[in-house]
């Protein structure tokens, strides 16, 4: 089942857009402001110039780090306006016309990646295609319009593709890069509608058929089987319950799989944090300052094991923790917050495990560190590295879920192989109860009377 593709045509500064990927119409050398001779073509009035002014010098350095291609036989984006400056750094070819490369977004760009694609000159490949102020009119994508005597064809026609095919290739290559990066939202300008001479209405007309290739497909049971082989080839796909074949709440099976995948990743993350926290608290490690005016973290640590320490917390502290977790849950499910980060709900084709950005969601107070990827390490990873990291996270989360339940069970006197002899303190309370008898809250005393 494929998620329907949503397209929006907007007028504004494409470089300032918020999206997982920003596509820019670059030159084939990927040289921007580093070459003074090229400045007049990379002014702040075009997409690439505006984007580079927001990205800063790090983007320029990333572009120049891309290997230079052999100069023979590549499609250059030379136009009558730029041929005089194809020297020095801009004489090199790093991204031929009709292709695309990706770099990490830098500076003040509100994206994870920048995709540099090179549109051809509208006159590339044919003479007579330029008539006054109208270039390519009536010939876009129409092979019959290019039929005729060889005397009307440019000398390079036999070697290179027609220009409209190259423009299609530029769109295709850019969106394929976005798809490979796992991007769910892309901001793309009308490629080639500046100095390259393509009409503003004709350039984006080619985009939808190419952008559809980056459509996100919701996962099926076959995808779960393939993922299981990557996670643990020895065990493979093991599903003793019919959950993965069901349709929760009248939703499709694909939506249900999205729910289950998200739930597993989220519970795995909580279990990893819980397991590490349990080990730290069980070993008497605590903050060396006061929790409140009269109560210190040392007092909480002296209460006993981790479960006893939770019971020893003031009721207000418990409510703050539970309230904060509730906010995180609400934010992760919020349609507006997800859309601001270029994502959609995991039961509607979104990425399982995705947590939306605080800073992109319009929170009035700036948040210095995001909950997910606080140091921006994920944005610098390749799609292959991200996939490998996610597999490791799922495996570690599964192990942590087993581990934390083993620790809690041992504290209640259960026999857990490998854990009964490591000195875990016993807990007399109810580990599944968020509140204890010390919390003067409505209904708590009645709830504590209930037992399974």
């Amino acid at each position: 089942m494929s998620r329907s593709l949503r397209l929006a045509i907007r007028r504004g500064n494409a470089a300032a857009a918020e999206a997982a990927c920003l596509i820019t119409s670059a030159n084939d050398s990927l040289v921007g402001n580093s070459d003074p001779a090229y400045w007049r073509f990379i002014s702040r009035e075009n997409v690439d110039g505006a984007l580079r002014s927001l990205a800063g010098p790090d983007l320029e350095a990333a572009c120049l780090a891309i290997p230079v291609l052999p100069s023979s036989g590549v499609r250059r984006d030379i136009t009558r306006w730029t041929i005089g400056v194809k020297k020095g750094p801009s004489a090199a070819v790093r991204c031929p016309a009709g292709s695309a490369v990706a770099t990490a977004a830098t500076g003040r760009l509100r994206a994870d990646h920048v995709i540099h694609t090179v549109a051809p000159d509208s006159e590339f490949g044919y003479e007579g295609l330029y008539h006054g102020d109208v270039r390519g009119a009536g010939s876009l994508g129409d092979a019959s319009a290019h039929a005729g005597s060889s005397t009307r064809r440019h000398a390079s026609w036999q070697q290179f593709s027609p220009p409209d095919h190259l423009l299609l290739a530029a769109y295709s290559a850019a969106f394929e890069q976005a798809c490979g990066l796992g991007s769910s939202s892309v901001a793309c300008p009308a490629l080639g509608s500046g100095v390259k001479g393509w009409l503003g209405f004709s350039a984006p007309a080619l985009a939808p058929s190419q952008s559809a290739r980056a459509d996100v497909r919701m996962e099926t049971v076959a995808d779960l089987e393939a993922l299981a082989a990557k996670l643990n080839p020895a065990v493979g796909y093991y599903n003793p319950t019919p959950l993965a074949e069901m349709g929760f709440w009248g939703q499709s099976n694909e939506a249900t799989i999205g729910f289950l995948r998200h739930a597993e990743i989220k519970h795995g993350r909580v279990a990893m944090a819980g397991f590490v926290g349990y080990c730290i608290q069980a070993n008497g490690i605590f903050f060396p300052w006061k929790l409140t005016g009269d109560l210190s973290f040392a007092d909480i640590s002296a209460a006993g094991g981790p479960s006893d320490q939770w019971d020893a917390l003031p009721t207000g502290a418990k409510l703050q923790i539970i309230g904060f977790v509730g906010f995180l849950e609400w934010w992760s499910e919020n349609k507006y917050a997800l859309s601001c980060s270029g994502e959609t709900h995991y039961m509607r084709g979104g990425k399982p495990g995705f947590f939306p950005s605080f800073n992109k969601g319009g929170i009035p107070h700036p948040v210095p560190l995001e909950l997910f990827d606080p140091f921006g390490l994920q944005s610098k990873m390749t799609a292959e590295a991200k996939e490998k990291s996610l597999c490791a996270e799922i495996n570690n989360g599964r192990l942590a879920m087993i581990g934390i339940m083993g620790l809690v069970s041992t504290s209640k006197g259960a026999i857990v192989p490998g854990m009964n002899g490591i000195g875990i303190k016993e807990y007399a309370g109810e580990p599944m109860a968020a509140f204890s008898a010390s919390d003067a809250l409505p209904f708590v005393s009645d709830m504590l009377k209930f037992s399974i």
Side-chain angles (χ1 to χ4, degrees):
M1 177 179 176
S2 296
R3 188 181 72 186
S4 59
L5 183 68
R6 293 182 297 173
L7 293 175
I9 299 176
R10 298 175 182 172
R11 183 175 183 178
N13 186 353
E18 290 189 30
C21 278
L22 297 180
I23 296 177
T24 181
S25 186
N27 58 75
D28 58 11
S29 64
L30 303 184
V31 171
N33 294 340
S34 66
D35 185 356
Y38 209 76
W39 283 0
R40 61 194 178 105
F41 305 108
I42 309 295
S43 68
R44 294 188 180 183
E45 295 182 2
N46 65 22
V47 173
D48 201 54
L51 186 143
R52 288 174 184 270
S53 68
L54 291 174
D58 290 340
L59 183 66
E60 188 76 14
C63 289
L64 293 177
I66 294 173
V68 174
L69 299 176
S71 58
S72 61
V74 298
R75 298 172 177 135
R76 299 235 58 180
D77 66 338
I78 294 176
T79 69
R80 67 182 64 188
W81 296 278
T82 62
I83 191 170
V85 297
K86 291 293 182 180
K87 54 188 177 182
S90 52
V93 178
R94 295 179 178 83
C95 184
S99 59
V101 294
T103 61
T106 59
R108 292 180 289 132
L109 294 177
R110 297 185 292 178
D112 296 326
H113 295 89
V114 175
I115 297 175
H116 311 261
T117 189
V118 181
D121 178 12
S122 63
E123 299 176 59
F124 195 143
Y126 294 94
E127 287 184 349
L129 201 60
Y130 172 64
H131 303 285
D133 292 329
V134 181
R135 303 181 192 190
S139 63
L140 205 55
D142 183 3
S144 64
H146 305 308
S149 66
S150 60
T151 58
R152 296 191 61 200
R153 295 171 179 167
H154 192 277
S156 63
W157 179 81
Q158 298 292 340
Q159 182 180 2
F160 298 128
S161 302
D164 53 338
H165 292 181
L166 280 179
L167 186 59
L168 282 168
Y171 275 110
S172 178
F175 280 97
E176 284 176 2
Q177 286 278 347
C179 187
L181 292 168
S183 302
S184 58
S185 62
V186 179
C188 180
L191 299 177
S193 59
V195 71
K196 301 298 180 64
W198 292 93
L199 290 172
F201 69 84
S202 62
L206 301 176
S209 63
Q210 302 305 311
S211 62
R213 300 185 183 185
D215 196 11
V216 178
R217 188 176 65 86
M218 296 177 68
E219 291 179 311
T220 64
V221 174
D223 295 309
L224 296 181
E225 294 172 350
L227 178 62
K230 295 178 182 178
L231 295 172
N232 193 327
V235 176
Y237 182 65
Y238 177 69
N239 180 31
T241 71
L243 292 178
E245 286 81 29
M246 295 175 66
F248 293 176
W249 309 293
Q251 302 291 317
S252 66
N253 177 242
E254 290 84 357
T256 300
I257 290 175
F259 172 84
L260 295 172
R261 289 267 287 116
H262 184 82
E264 180 185 31
I265 294 172
K266 181 171 64 177
H267 283 80
R269 290 170 178 167
V270 172
M272 286 187 279
F275 183 86
V276 173
Y278 196 104
C279 293
I280 291 174
Q281 291 177 254
N283 283 280
I285 302 173
F286 54 86
F287 292 119
W289 51 73
K290 291 281 189 179
L291 177 64
T292 65
D294 301 322
L295 188 66
S296 69
F297 282 100
D299 297 329
I300 300 296
S301 181
S307 298
D308 288 301
Q309 293 177 35
W310 171 262
D311 289 343
L313 286 174
T315 303
K318 294 179 182 177
L319 292 174
Q320 287 178 30
I321 294 171
I322 294 173
F324 178 66
V325 173
F327 165 76
L328 295 179
E329 185 74 8
W330 169 79
W331 186 256
S332 69
E333 300 280 337
N334 187 276
K335 181 179 179 181
Y336 172 77
L338 288 166
S339 64
C340 288
S341 293
E343 192 52 72
T344 189
H345 196 271
Y346 49 83
M347 294 184 72
R348 295 292 181 269
K351 297 178 188 175
F354 180 84
F355 191 89
S357 166
F358 292 128
N359 292 307
K360 293 180 180 179
I363 293 179
H365 191 284
V367 182
L369 296 176
E370 300 284 4
L371 180 67
F372 180 77
D373 194 23
F375 304 108
L377 301 178
Q378 285 274 341
S379 63
K380 302 175 184 177
M381 297 172 63
T382 63
E384 293 76 12
K386 286 183 180 179
E387 182 181 11
K388 183 178 179 180
S389 177
L390 179 60
C391 288
E393 181 184 33
I394 294 173
N395 280 330
N396 291 333
R398 290 175 176 177
L399 185 60
M401 285 188 276
I402 296 172
I404 189 63
M405 291 307 299
L407 291 171
V408 172
S409 299
T410 303
S411 72
K412 290 297 294 179
I415 299 175
V416 181
M419 289 190 176
N420 293 101
I422 60 176
I424 297 175
K425 295 180 180 179
E426 291 190 7
Y427 175 56
E430 174 52 59
M432 296 302 167
F435 299 101
S436 62
S438 62
D439 298 304
L441 294 173
F443 311 113
V444 170
S445 59
D446 294 330
M447 287 190 290
L448 292 175
K449 296 175 184 178
F450 180 80
S451 61
I452 299 178

PDB file of all heavy atoms in Angstrom, residues 290-307:
ATOM      1  N   LYS A 290      20.530  18.857  46.359  1.00  0.00           N
ATOM      2  CA  LYS A 290      19.199  18.746  46.946  1.00  0.00           C
ATOM      3  C   LYS A 290      18.144  18.511  45.875  1.00  0.00           C
ATOM      4  O   LYS A 290      18.206  19.063  44.782  1.00  0.00           O
ATOM      5  CB  LYS A 290      18.866  20.036  47.703  1.00  0.00           C
ATOM      6  CG  LYS A 290      19.689  20.262  48.969  1.00  0.00           C
ATOM      7  CD  LYS A 290      19.155  19.428  50.120  1.00  0.00           C
ATOM      8  CE  LYS A 290      19.839  19.819  51.427  1.00  0.00           C
ATOM      9  NZ  LYS A 290      19.323  19.047  52.581  1.00  0.00           N
ATOM     10  N   LEU A 291      17.153  17.706  46.221  1.00  0.00           N
ATOM     11  CA  LEU A 291      15.988  17.527  45.354  1.00  0.00           C
ATOM     12  C   LEU A 291      14.973  18.621  45.644  1.00  0.00           C
ATOM     13  O   LEU A 291      14.396  19.226  44.735  1.00  0.00           O
ATOM     14  CB  LEU A 291      15.371  16.153  45.582  1.00  0.00           C
ATOM     15  CG  LEU A 291      14.094  15.830  44.809  1.00  0.00           C
ATOM     16  CD1 LEU A 291      14.360  15.804  43.323  1.00  0.00           C
ATOM     17  CD2 LEU A 291      13.506  14.495  45.262  1.00  0.00           C
ATOM     18  N   THR A 292      14.736  18.868  46.920  1.00  0.00           N
ATOM     19  CA  THR A 292      13.901  19.980  47.376  1.00  0.00           C
ATOM     20  C   THR A 292      14.670  20.699  48.489  1.00  0.00           C
ATOM     21  O   THR A 292      15.823  20.369  48.765  1.00  0.00           O
ATOM     22  CB  THR A 292      12.544  19.471  47.906  1.00  0.00           C
ATOM     23  OG1 THR A 292      12.764  18.678  49.080  1.00  0.00           O
ATOM     24  CG2 THR A 292      11.817  18.655  46.857  1.00  0.00           C
ATOM     25  N   GLY A 293      14.015  21.654  49.137  1.00  0.00           N
ATOM     26  CA  GLY A 293      14.693  22.387  50.198  1.00  0.00           C
ATOM     27  C   GLY A 293      15.144  21.515  51.352  1.00  0.00           C
ATOM     28  O   GLY A 293      16.187  21.752  51.967  1.00  0.00           O
ATOM     29  N   ASP A 294      14.365  20.474  51.683  1.00  0.00           N
ATOM     30  CA  ASP A 294      14.677  19.613  52.828  1.00  0.00           C
ATOM     31  C   ASP A 294      15.101  18.203  52.437  1.00  0.00           C
ATOM     32  O   ASP A 294      15.512  17.424  53.307  1.00  0.00           O
ATOM     33  CB  ASP A 294      13.460  19.516  53.753  1.00  0.00           C
ATOM     34  CG  ASP A 294      13.018  20.869  54.275  1.00  0.00           C
ATOM     35  OD1 ASP A 294      13.908  21.694  54.569  1.00  0.00           O
ATOM     36  OD2 ASP A 294      11.794  21.099  54.353  1.00  0.00           O
ATOM     37  N   LEU A 295      14.977  17.856  51.178  1.00  0.00           N
ATOM     38  CA  LEU A 295      15.226  16.486  50.742  1.00  0.00           C
ATOM     39  C   LEU A 295      16.334  16.463  49.699  1.00  0.00           C
ATOM     40  O   LEU A 295      16.312  17.227  48.736  1.00  0.00           O
ATOM     41  CB  LEU A 295      13.932  15.891  50.157  1.00  0.00           C
ATOM     42  CG  LEU A 295      13.924  14.402  49.823  1.00  0.00           C
ATOM     43  CD1 LEU A 295      14.041  13.564  51.094  1.00  0.00           C
ATOM     44  CD2 LEU A 295      12.635  14.039  49.077  1.00  0.00           C
ATOM     45  N   SER A 296      17.315  15.585  49.890  1.00  0.00           N
ATOM     46  CA  SER A 296      18.426  15.455  48.953  1.00  0.00           C
ATOM     47  C   SER A 296      18.302  14.152  48.173  1.00  0.00           C
ATOM     48  O   SER A 296      17.549  13.239  48.557  1.00  0.00           O
ATOM     49  CB  SER A 296      19.765  15.493  49.694  1.00  0.00           C
ATOM     50  OG  SER A 296      19.926  14.316  50.480  1.00  0.00           O
ATOM     51  N   PHE A 297      19.051  14.063  47.074  1.00  0.00           N
ATOM     52  CA  PHE A 297      19.080  12.817  46.312  1.00  0.00           C
ATOM     53  C   PHE A 297      19.709  11.694  47.130  1.00  0.00           C
ATOM     54  O   PHE A 297      19.396  10.521  46.925  1.00  0.00           O
ATOM     55  CB  PHE A 297      19.854  13.026  45.002  1.00  0.00           C
ATOM     56  CG  PHE A 297      19.058  13.742  43.948  1.00  0.00           C
ATOM     57  CD1 PHE A 297      19.234  15.091  43.721  1.00  0.00           C
ATOM     58  CD2 PHE A 297      18.129  13.057  43.180  1.00  0.00           C
ATOM     59  CE1 PHE A 297      18.510  15.750  42.747  1.00  0.00           C
ATOM     60  CE2 PHE A 297      17.398  13.703  42.199  1.00  0.00           C
ATOM     61  CZ  PHE A 297      17.580  15.060  41.990  1.00  0.00           C
ATOM     62  N   ALA A 298      20.588  12.038  48.062  1.00  0.00           N
ATOM     63  CA  ALA A 298      21.171  11.026  48.941  1.00  0.00           C
ATOM     64  C   ALA A 298      20.103  10.388  49.824  1.00  0.00           C
ATOM     65  O   ALA A 298      20.131   9.172  50.083  1.00  0.00           O
ATOM     66  CB  ALA A 298      22.266  11.659  49.803  1.00  0.00           C
ATOM     67  N   ASP A 299      19.136  11.202  50.265  1.00  0.00           N
ATOM     68  CA  ASP A 299      18.031  10.664  51.073  1.00  0.00           C
ATOM     69  C   ASP A 299      17.195   9.681  50.248  1.00  0.00           C
ATOM     70  O   ASP A 299      16.756   8.641  50.759  1.00  0.00           O
ATOM     71  CB  ASP A 299      17.143  11.801  51.572  1.00  0.00           C
ATOM     72  CG  ASP A 299      17.877  12.761  52.501  1.00  0.00           C
ATOM     73  OD1 ASP A 299      18.793  12.301  53.207  1.00  0.00           O
ATOM     74  OD2 ASP A 299      17.549  13.966  52.487  1.00  0.00           O
ATOM     75  N   ILE A 300      16.955  10.025  49.000  1.00  0.00           N
ATOM     76  CA  ILE A 300      16.181   9.134  48.121  1.00  0.00           C
ATOM     77  C   ILE A 300      16.949   7.836  47.892  1.00  0.00           C
ATOM     78  O   ILE A 300      16.382   6.735  47.944  1.00  0.00           O
ATOM     79  CB  ILE A 300      15.876   9.822  46.772  1.00  0.00           C
ATOM     80  CG1 ILE A 300      15.053  11.100  46.984  1.00  0.00           C
ATOM     81  CG2 ILE A 300      15.160   8.862  45.829  1.00  0.00           C
ATOM     82  CD1 ILE A 300      13.688  10.864  47.573  1.00  0.00           C
ATOM     83  N   SER A 301      18.254   7.937  47.652  1.00  0.00           N
ATOM     84  CA  SER A 301      19.061   6.743  47.400  1.00  0.00           C
ATOM     85  C   SER A 301      19.096   5.816  48.604  1.00  0.00           C
ATOM     86  O   SER A 301      19.170   4.588  48.453  1.00  0.00           O
ATOM     87  CB  SER A 301      20.480   7.157  47.011  1.00  0.00           C
ATOM     88  OG  SER A 301      21.287   6.030  46.742  1.00  0.00           O
ATOM     89  N   ALA A 302      19.027   6.382  49.805  1.00  0.00           N
ATOM     90  CA  ALA A 302      19.089   5.578  51.028  1.00  0.00           C
ATOM     91  C   ALA A 302      17.792   4.827  51.308  1.00  0.00           C
ATOM     92  O   ALA A 302      17.736   3.998  52.229  1.00  0.00           O
ATOM     93  CB  ALA A 302      19.432   6.481  52.218  1.00  0.00           C
ATOM     94  N   ALA A 303      16.740   5.086  50.522  1.00  0.00           N
ATOM     95  CA  ALA A 303      15.447   4.444  50.767  1.00  0.00           C
ATOM     96  C   ALA A 303      15.450   2.961  50.428  1.00  0.00           C
ATOM     97  O   ALA A 303      14.570   2.220  50.870  1.00  0.00           O
ATOM     98  CB  ALA A 303      14.353   5.166  49.980  1.00  0.00           C
ATOM     99  N   GLY A 304      16.398   2.517  49.622  1.00  0.00           N
ATOM    100  CA  GLY A 304      16.451   1.109  49.235  1.00  0.00           C
ATOM    101  C   GLY A 304      16.765   0.946  47.768  1.00  0.00           C
ATOM    102  O   GLY A 304      17.545   1.717  47.188  1.00  0.00           O
ATOM    103  N   GLY A 305      16.149  -0.053  47.135  1.00  0.00           N
ATOM    104  CA  GLY A 305      16.368  -0.297  45.721  1.00  0.00           C
ATOM    105  C   GLY A 305      15.662   0.744  44.862  1.00  0.00           C
ATOM    106  O   GLY A 305      14.966   1.638  45.364  1.00  0.00           O
ATOM    107  N   PRO A 306      15.801   0.653  43.535  1.00  0.00           N
ATOM    108  CA  PRO A 306      15.187   1.642  42.631  1.00  0.00           C
ATOM    109  C   PRO A 306      13.682   1.801  42.818  1.00  0.00           C
ATOM    110  O   PRO A 306      13.168   2.922  42.765  1.00  0.00           O
ATOM    111  CB  PRO A 306      15.531   1.096  41.247  1.00  0.00           C
ATOM    112  CG  PRO A 306      16.812   0.360  41.454  1.00  0.00           C
ATOM    113  CD  PRO A 306      16.690  -0.279  42.807  1.00  0.00           C
ATOM    114  N   SER A 307      12.960   0.708  43.058  1.00  0.00           N
ATOM    115  CA  SER A 307      11.503   0.820  43.248  1.00  0.00           C
ATOM    116  C   SER A 307      11.181   1.538  44.548  1.00  0.00           C
ATOM    117  O   SER A 307      10.243   2.350  44.615  1.00  0.00           O
ATOM    118  CB  SER A 307      10.868  -0.575  43.227  1.00  0.00           C
ATOM    119  OG  SER A 307      11.074  -1.207  41.971  1.00  0.00           O
TER     120      SER A 307
END
